[in-house]
Amino acid sequence: MALLTVLHAPFADALIAHDMPGLPVARRARSVDFAVGRIALMPGPTRVGVDLIAVAVRALMVLLGGARTVRLLAPVTLPLLGEYVRLHRSLAYAYVWETWPDTAVDGTPA
């Protein structure tokens, strides 16, 4: 789980901060933990593929920084990178609005 956290958590955190700037830090952290936990439960071959994409994304984050990488990848619709972004978004959005249904679109608590 520690390797998954190193690979996936920084991108998930930066993506949620980009998409929902009003979401409090504690809620964002819980959303990131949820996303990483769900990725850990993926079947082996699928998770290996997701982890390989995460290595490339993590390298971009080290080179460009988290916020810049997210701004670059957020609108991408390419098959692998776009799916990686959508995976994190779907997990985070589902967690946020299932856990705190009164959350505004920008993440601000009602």
Side-chain angles (χ1 to χ4, degrees):
M1 184 78 164
L3 176 61
L4 291 176
T5 301
V6 169
L7 284 178
H8 299 285
F11 181 75
D13 186 65
L15 183 65
I16 296 167
H18 174 268
D19 288 353
M20 296 183 219
L23 192 68
V25 175
R27 288 185 178 190
R28 190 170 72 223
R30 287 181 55 189
S31 301
V32 168
D33 290 344
F34 175 80
V36 172
R38 289 296 175 198
I39 291 169
L41 296 175
M42 287 180 162
T46 303
R47 197 177 84 217
V48 168
V50 171
D51 289 347
L52 288 174
I53 296 166
V55 168
V57 170
R58 190 71 180 106
L60 269 176
M61 290 183 77
V62 169
L63 292 173
L64 302 176
R68 184 180 287 166
T69 300
V70 167
R71 281 194 310 273
L72 178 72
L73 295 180
V76 169
T77 58
L78 294 173
L80 296 176
L81 289 175
E83 294 298 327
Y84 184 72
V85 173
R86 280 190 288 280
L87 169 68
H88 279 282
R89 272 191 176 134
S90 65
L91 290 169
Y93 288 13
Y95 184 79
V96 167
W97 279 295
E98 284 293 321
T99 307
W100 308 287
D102 57 348
T103 302
V105 175
D106 71 344
T108 306

